[in-house]
């Protein structure tokens, strides 16, 4: 008769308070898992726009932690694609392309740029510096005179400027694009007009509204060298 019921009362009290705490923990865990699932499926559904938007540069100008985090995201995305299936759409992005060097050299070094029918070679080193594959652009070479006025414009499609050996190694490049970090060495023969004194190298993408020939083609350009 002296206090044997107190431990039981204490135990019952602890159980009463423990039950709501356990329910809160379960609800929190459920919310976390639900949020993760929504995040994963949201990434999967919007991957074709999300991955290009988040892709860092692989030429050393992006933070190494950001590059590593994006690689982890790509690894997760690849697993989701194997499990759920994906529709890959290569992107066209001006910011992907970096011209490392560009040199226009006459084949006959003793002839100046102003010689008639001057056969020259344009040597370009260009890189896809994004951490994703990117569709190859068109190259446009603008020749200028001594006053930097346009003399002639030359345009090369990807089939014309990409090295033939590289095209044979990547037969689906027009659909799959150029791999991340790829550095391309290009040599293009060019006949310079007599009054040519300088040049500019540009990239451009061609878009056709609704892929319908009755609509005009839009030319988007960006000067990246010269």
């Amino acid at each position: 008769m002296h206090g044997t019921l107190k431990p039981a009362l204490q135990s019952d009290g602890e159980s009463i308070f423990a039950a709501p705490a356990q329910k809160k923990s379960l609800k929190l865990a459920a919310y976390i898992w639900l949020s993760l699932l929504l995040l994963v499926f949201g990434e999967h559904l919007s991957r074709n726009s999300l991955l290009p938007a988040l892709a860092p540069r692989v030429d050393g100008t992006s933070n190494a932690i950001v590059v590593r985090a994006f690689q982890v995201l790509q690894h997760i995305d690849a697993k989701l694609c194997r499990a759920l299936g994906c529709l890959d759409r290569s992107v066209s992005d001006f910011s992907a392309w970096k011209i490392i060097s560009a040199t226009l050299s006459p084949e006959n070094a003793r002839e100046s740029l102003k010689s008639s029918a001057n056969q020259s070679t344009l040597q370009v080193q260009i890189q896809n510096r994004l951490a994703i594959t990117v569709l190859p652009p068109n190259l446009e070479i603008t020749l200028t005179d001594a006053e930097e006025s346009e003399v002639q414009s030359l345009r090369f499609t990807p089939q014309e400027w990409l090295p033939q050996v590289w095209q044979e190694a990547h037969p689906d490049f027009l659909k799959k694009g150029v791999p991340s970090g790829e550095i391309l060495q290009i040599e293009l023969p060019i006949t310079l007009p007599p009054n040519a004194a300088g040049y500019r190298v540009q990239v451009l993408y061609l878009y056709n509204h609704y892929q319908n020939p009755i609509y005009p083609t839009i030319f988007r350009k960006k000067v990246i060298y010269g």
Side-chain angles (χ1 to χ4, degrees):
M1 298 295 295
H2 40 81
T4 56
L5 293 178
K6 288 184 180 180
L9 291 174
Q10 184 177 359
S11 178
D12 290 342
E14 291 177 352
S15 299
I16 292 172
F17 288 108
Q22 291 177 354
K23 289 182 180 180
K24 289 182 179 180
S25 298
L26 291 174
K27 286 183 179 180
L28 179 60
Y31 287 143
I32 292 174
W33 278 108
L34 181 60
S35 299
L36 289 175
L37 287 174
L38 291 175
L39 181 63
V40 168
F41 282 104
E43 185 278 334
H44 181 69
L45 293 174
S46 60
R47 60 185 302 277
N48 284 318
S49 58
L50 181 63
L51 292 179
L54 297 178
R57 296 174 179 176
V58 295
D59 61 348
T61 58
S62 293
N63 187 285
I65 297 177
V66 175
V67 175
R68 178 57 183 164
F70 187 77
Q71 290 174 347
V72 173
L73 178 61
Q74 285 181 306
H75 182 69
I76 296 172
D77 178 72
K79 287 189 173 183
L80 287 174
C81 286
R82 286 194 296 268
L84 304 175
C86 286
L87 178 61
D88 286 318
R89 295 177 183 173
S90 297
V91 299
S92 53
D93 193 331
F94 287 126
S95 66
W97 300 103
K98 174 185 179 182
I99 285 189
I100 301 172
S101 63
T103 305
L104 186 60
S105 304
E107 291 185 359
N108 187 346
R110 287 176 294 181
E111 294 187 19
S112 66
L113 290 175
K114 295 187 178 181
S115 299
S116 60
N118 186 11
Q119 297 296 323
S120 301
T121 300
L122 178 66
Q123 297 175 323
V124 180
Q125 191 178 47
I126 186 171
Q127 179 188 24
N128 170 18
R129 57 182 177 175
L130 285 186
I132 57 172
T133 59
V134 179
L135 292 173
N138 293 270
L139 281 187
E140 186 175 78
I141 315 303
T142 302
L143 302 175
T144 59
D145 58 18
E147 297 179 352
E148 297 189 358
S149 298
E150 180 176 335
V151 174
Q152 185 179 3
S153 180
L154 305 171
R155 188 172 299 145
F156 299 90
T157 65
Q159 297 94 321
E160 292 172 331
W161 69 262
L162 283 167
Q164 190 61 39
V165 175
W166 188 92
Q167 293 187 42
E168 293 173 356
H170 304 79
D172 295 331
F173 69 92
L174 290 178
K175 293 182 178 180
K176 295 184 177 180
V178 179
S180 169
E182 189 88 6
I183 297 177
L184 300 167
Q185 306 281 348
I186 307 160
E187 290 191 358
L188 297 172
I190 294 177
T191 300
L192 297 178
N195 57 340
Y199 64 95
R200 293 193 300 269
V201 181
Q202 305 175 101
V203 295
L204 62 89
Y205 285 103
L206 291 86
Y207 297 96
N208 193 291
H209 285 297
Y210 309 108
Q211 301 300 317
N212 192 320
I214 68 173
Y215 288 93
T217 301
I218 299 175
F219 297 95
R220 296 176 59 194
K221 302 180 182 180
K222 183 180 181 182
V223 178
I224 57 175
Y225 194 90

